[in-house]
Amino acid sequence: MRAAQEPGHGVVADTQQDTDAGEGQERHVSGAIGDTGATGATVWLTGLPSAGKTTIATEVAGLLRGSGRRVEVLDGDEIRAFLSAGLGFSRADRDTNVQRIGFVAELLASHGVTVLVPVIAPYADSREAVRKRHQARGTGYLEVHIATPVEVCSERDVKGLYARQAAGELTGLTGVDDPYEAPEHPDLRIETHGRSVAESAREVHELLKERGLI
C-alpha cells in the first residue's frame, strides 16, 4: 500500500495483490513481448464519468512517450463512435462495448504497445472477462480504479451529463441512476480529489515499473 497526504485532504493510492475469489491465489501480471522486443500491457482506468480517467491516461501517455515507449490511448467516446457504433447503454450493450475494447487493447499490447483505456466499464464481470483474456494470452493487464466520489464528479461535470440527468434530460447515468460496481481489488486505487494530475499519473507509471511492464 502506498499513501500520499495532500494539504487539506486525506488521499490514498493503493497497490494491492489481487486474489481470485474463493481460491486465495495471487494474480501474476506478465507482459507480452512484441515484434519490436518491447513489453506491452493494458492499463484499464475505470471510474465514474468525470472522475479524471482520460486526463490521467493522457498524462501517463506523455510520460511513456517521453521515454520512447509505444503508447495508445483508447478513448471511450471514439470507440463508441466507430468500433461500437449502434450500441446503446443496456447492460448487454455495455458489456459488448467493453469486450470489443478489451480485444483491441490485448491485440495492441501483445505487439509491444502500452495501451491506456480510460473507459468506465461499470460491471465487474465485464472487466474480469477482459482481465482473463489478457491472462490467457500472457499479456500484461492492470486495473486502476480512479476513485473520485460522485459528488466531486458532479461538480466537475466535464460533459454536462450530471446537469442533464438532474434536469431530467437523460437517464442511465453511471453511478447516479445506473449501477457502477467499483473494483474490490484493483491493482491501484487513486483518489484524485486533492491531488494533481501529475501525481496521479506518476502512481500509474510507478506501478508499471514495479510490475516490470516498462
Side-chain angles (χ1 to χ4, degrees), residues 53-86:
K53 302 179 299 296
T54 300
T55 303
I56 294 170
T58 301
E59 186 79 7
V60 175
L63 292 174
L64 293 170
R65 290 188 179 113
S67 60
R69 302 289 307 184
R70 298 168 64 205
V71 185
E72 289 293 342
V73 178
L74 299 185
D75 179 80
D77 290 338
E78 292 179 355
I79 294 291
R80 279 274 181 184
F82 297 98
L83 186 62
S84 293

Side-chain angles (χ1 to χ4, degrees), residues 135-171:
Q135 288 178 331
R137 290 159 176 77
T139 305
Y141 181 85
L142 298 173
E143 181 178 79
V144 177
H145 180 206
I146 308 302
T148 309
V150 66
E151 296 81 9
V152 176
C153 293
S154 63
E155 289 177 4
R156 294 176 179 172
D157 204 9
V158 176
K159 300 177 183 176
L161 299 177
Y162 292 93
R164 291 178 59 198
Q165 191 278 336
E169 297 175 4
L170 66 80
T171 59

Side-chain angles (χ1 to χ4, degrees), residues 1 14-18 184-189 211:
M1 175 180 290
D14 298 328
T15 53
Q16 304 178 358
Q17 290 291 339
D18 290 347
E184 294 183 2
H185 302 290
D187 296 284
L188 175 66
R189 195 186 312 276
R211 299 294 179 89

Side-chain angles (χ1 to χ4, degrees), residues 25-47:
Q25 298 175 341
E26 288 188 359
R27 284 180 177 147
H28 298 285
V29 179
S30 59
I33 306 299
D35 297 337
T36 64
T39 300
T42 295
V43 181
W44 197 294
L45 297 92
T46 177

Side-chain angles (χ1 to χ4, degrees), residues 2 201-211 214:
R2 288 196 293 267
R202 282 197 297 269
E203 288 288 338
V204 178
H205 191 263
E206 285 300 313
L207 180 61
L208 283 163
K209 288 172 63 177
E210 288 174 7
R211 299 294 179 89
I214 57 174

